[in-house]
Amino acid sequence: MLWPVKSFQNSEIHNSSIPHYLSRVVVDVIIPAYNEEGTIGKVVRDIDRNLVRHVVVVNNTSTDNTVEVAESAGALVLHQNKRGYGRTCLTGVYHVSGLKTPPDVVAFMDGDYSDFPGQLKDVLAPIREENIDMVIGSRVLGKREKGSMTPQQRFGNWLATVMIRVIYRKKFTDLGPFRAIKLSALQQINMQDQTYGWTVEMQVKVIKQGLSYTEIPVDYRRRGAGHSKVAGTLKGTIFAGWKIIITILRYG
């Protein structure tokens, strides 16, 4: 059974200072990146370092200057030389889990500047204030810039969340990449997916394990540079959609 979840709104918890309950949490941010030289520096610099201990950029076979830009902005850069979104995220998770002092919470966001790093404190708030295990930043509940999500992304997102509601009897509005989860919960669910099923695997496993979750409205804008590895190609769109559906069915 899920723990009681307070309905959070940005207006309730947004302010210019870091809330006291967040200051006690060790948070590391993991950013998978592939050819994001035009945006990765902005993403890293916009993360409040009073709130976050380590910003870990995991370079996934970039052929541009992503590594140099990320390091110049203050990120720790790791390398994953085999392609795959889930594989890249797992590389970051393995690293922070193995630190002498592991984080209490791991947050994820993309490196294309479509997320708003300044909203990280909103995403983290339910974990400390309500002891929630996982928080999803929902683009559906937030404000989206026109053109930030393609029609196939919107349809795929809708289909996946409907399938979760039907199969698992639980509600999500989004599979968004901007999210935070307790490290203990992440270890408990034992993530396995190496590619595009990563986000939905996390969500359905949280349900299966009876862990608590909530969604926070987050804003979303068109990517700042480069091309989407999923929505930018027909092959990527088809493979991602297939993998998400298979993942939902597998664990159900």
Side-chain angles (χ1 to χ4, degrees):
M1 179 178 296
L2 294 176
W3 298 350
V5 176
K6 178 181 177 180
S7 178
F8 282 83
Q9 298 295 329
N10 284 342
S11 59
E12 294 180 47
I13 57 181
H14 179 81
N15 56 65
S16 59
S17 62
I18 302 303
H20 72 280
Y21 52 83
L22 292 181
S23 65
R24 299 193 301 268
V25 178
V26 178
V27 180
D28 289 341
V29 174
I30 296 172
I31 306 171
Y34 169 69
N35 287 347
E36 313 284 8
E37 67 175 1
T39 56
I40 193 64
K42 296 177 184 178
V43 175
V44 174
R45 285 190 294 270
D46 279 5
I47 294 173
D48 190 336
R49 299 309 293 270
N50 293 315
L51 182 61
V52 171
R53 180 181 62 170
H54 297 313
V55 176
V56 180
V57 171
V58 187
N59 173 49
N60 192 203
T61 70
S62 296
T63 57
D64 62 2
N65 294 316
T66 293
V67 171
E68 293 80 3
V69 173
E71 289 177 336
S72 295
L76 168 67
V77 177
L78 307 177
H79 296 273
Q80 170 50 256
N81 295 323
K82 190 172 181 179
R83 294 287 296 277
Y85 181 83
R87 185 177 289 111
T88 306
C89 291
L90 282 169
T91 299
V93 171
Y94 293 151
H95 174 81
V96 300
S97 299
L99 294 175
K100 184 176 181 180
T101 304
D104 301 303
V105 177
V106 180
F108 299 88
M109 66 180 69
D110 281 349
D112 59 11
Y113 210 51
S114 53
D115 301 314
F116 286 74
Q119 294 181 327
L120 178 60
K121 62 180 178 296
D122 298 340
V123 174
L124 291 170
I127 294 177
R128 289 300 298 176
E129 190 168 275
E130 295 289 327
N131 202 26
I132 302 302
D133 292 308
M134 180 185 71
V135 181
I136 302 297
S138 172
R139 301 164 295 183
V140 174
L141 299 178
K143 297 177 181 178
R144 297 195 307 272
E145 181 181 9
K146 184 177 180 181
S148 60
M149 293 182 70
T150 64
Q152 58 265 36
Q153 281 179 297
R154 295 196 299 271
F155 173 76
N157 208 52
W158 171 83
L159 178 61
T161 54
V162 167
M163 288 181 65
I164 291 173
R165 190 178 308 126
V166 170
I167 295 172
Y168 298 92
R169 305 298 181 187
K170 300 295 181 182
K171 182 179 179 180
F172 283 105
T173 65
D174 197 4
L175 307 180
F178 194 7
R179 56 184 59 204
I181 184 170
K182 293 179 184 176
L183 180 60
S184 59
L186 193 56
Q187 292 169 333
Q188 179 177 333
I189 63 178
N190 189 27
M191 293 290 295
Q192 297 294 317
D193 194 85
Q194 306 287 298
T195 56
Y196 298 125
W198 165 270
T199 55
V200 73
E201 180 193 358
M202 186 184 298
Q203 287 166 247
V204 297
K205 280 188 169 182
V206 161
I207 292 172
K208 295 282 285 184
Q209 292 285 334
L211 300 174
S212 57
Y213 68 89
T214 191
E215 294 184 312
I216 289 295
V218 295
D219 299 331
Y220 199 65
R221 58 192 157 205
R222 288 178 292 180
R223 60 184 295 120
H227 301 283
S228 171
K229 275 67 73 180
V230 178
T233 66
L234 179 61
K235 179 182 177 181
T237 300
I238 293 173
F239 180 70
W242 172 83
K243 189 61 183 289
I244 287 169
I245 291 171
I246 291 299
T247 302
I248 294 172
L249 294 174
R250 175 187 302 153
Y251 293 106

